[in-house]
Amino acid sequence: MEIRPNTKVNDLLNAYPELEAFLMKLNPKYKKLKNPILRRTVARIATLTQVAGIGGYETLELVNLLRKEVGQPPLDASGHPKETEETRKAPQWLQNEPKTILDANQLLDEEKNPLAEVSKVLKTLDSGEIVMIRSDFLPSPLIDTFKEQGYDVYASEAEKGRFLTYIRKP
């Protein structure tokens, strides 16, 4: 699970139980998370944005502390993972040619859902095969969805305003 400002506390702690102790070290106010009633009620609806305010943190500051603790790259001010040396380097698997290339803008012009279309294509691929998506925008929701589903995903801005997103079937 990717940690974001809108992540619910309960979901966070179910995915990363070790973060409960980490949060309590950050701020004594977070010790209330030990309360089973609070965990069953408030923690199910409270987001990290709300929790940050309770602890006196800026949302992005708290989110990035949690992301760092579980090995996720920090988010920038726009909510996208910050580009690091590691994320700039294309993964080894990109040396393989894409099996299929889709144009997200064209799909949208045809009133098709790029996420659904990519999902259909991925079902036809063998393990290790790649689909490439061209777009004039970074398709963050699509990227997040496929990462959460266990696919390898890499995106880059090939040139100003032209993005290439690669998804490899595990």
Side-chain angles (χ1 to χ4, degrees), residues 90-106:
Q92 194 79 21
W93 55 263
L94 265 188
Q95 294 176 358
N96 300 331
E97 289 293 317
K99 182 83 169 180
T100 305
I101 299 173
L102 297 173
D103 186 311
N105 297 77
Q106 181 181 347

Side-chain angles (χ1 to χ4, degrees), residues 3-4 10 20 32 37-38 58 67-68 72 75 86 95 113 127 129 139-140 148 150 158-159 165:
I3 301 171
R4 300 212 161 258
N10 195 55
E20 181 178 3
K32 293 176 183 161
I37 294 170
L38 181 80
E58 292 294 323
R67 288 176 68 91
K68 180 179 179 184
Q72 294 179 9
L75 299 179
E86 183 180 306
Q95 294 176 358
N113 178 340
S127 179
E129 291 184 324
S140 296
E148 287 174 9
E159 56 189 53
T165 303

Side-chain angles (χ1 to χ4, degrees), residues 71-122:
Q72 294 179 9
L75 299 179
D76 63 20
S78 64
H80 295 99
K82 285 184 183 175
E83 197 172 81
T84 63
E85 190 61 40
E86 183 180 306
T87 59
R88 268 185 232 113
K89 289 170 47 179
Q92 194 79 21
W93 55 263
L94 265 188
Q95 294 176 358
N96 300 331
E97 289 293 317
K99 182 83 169 180
T100 305
I101 299 173
L102 297 173
D103 186 311
N105 297 77
Q106 181 181 347
L107 291 171
L108 290 168
D109 290 345
E110 295 169 0
E111 297 186 6
K112 293 181 179 175
N113 178 340
L115 181 64
E117 297 301 315
V118 172
S119 292
K120 285 181 203 173
V121 169
L122 284 167

Side-chain angles (χ1 to χ4, degrees), residues 15-80:
Y16 303 104
E18 69 276 15
L19 289 180
E20 181 178 3
F22 179 76
L23 280 165
M24 290 178 202
K25 285 181 195 172
L26 286 178
N27 190 307
K29 291 180 181 178
Y30 296 148
K31 288 186 179 177
K32 293 176 183 161
L33 291 171
K34 281 273 191 208
N35 180 318
I37 294 170
L38 181 80
R39 284 289 284 276
R40 284 193 308 267
T41 56
V42 177
R44 292 191 186 279
I45 58 171
T47 65
L48 291 180
T49 298
Q50 295 160 328
V51 169
I54 291 167
Y57 289 93
E58 292 294 323
T59 299
L60 205 52
E61 177 186 16
L62 178 63
V63 167
N64 283 336
L65 285 169
L66 295 168
R67 288 176 68 91
K68 180 179 179 184
E69 190 67 16
V70 299
Q72 294 179 9
L75 299 179
D76 63 20
S78 64
H80 295 99

Side-chain angles (χ1 to χ4, degrees), residues 119-133:
S119 292
K120 285 181 203 173
V121 169
L122 284 167
K123 287 179 184 175
T124 69
L125 298 183
D126 292 329
S127 179
E129 291 184 324
I130 300 167
V131 62
M132 182 180 84
I133 304 142

Side-chain angles (χ1 to χ4, degrees), residues 145-165:
T145 297
F146 287 111
K147 279 183 177 178
E148 287 174 9
Q149 292 177 7
Y151 290 89
D152 294 319
V153 181
Y154 176 78
S156 66
E157 189 170 18
E159 56 189 53
K160 185 85 170 139
R162 190 173 139 251
F163 293 86
L164 300 176
T165 303

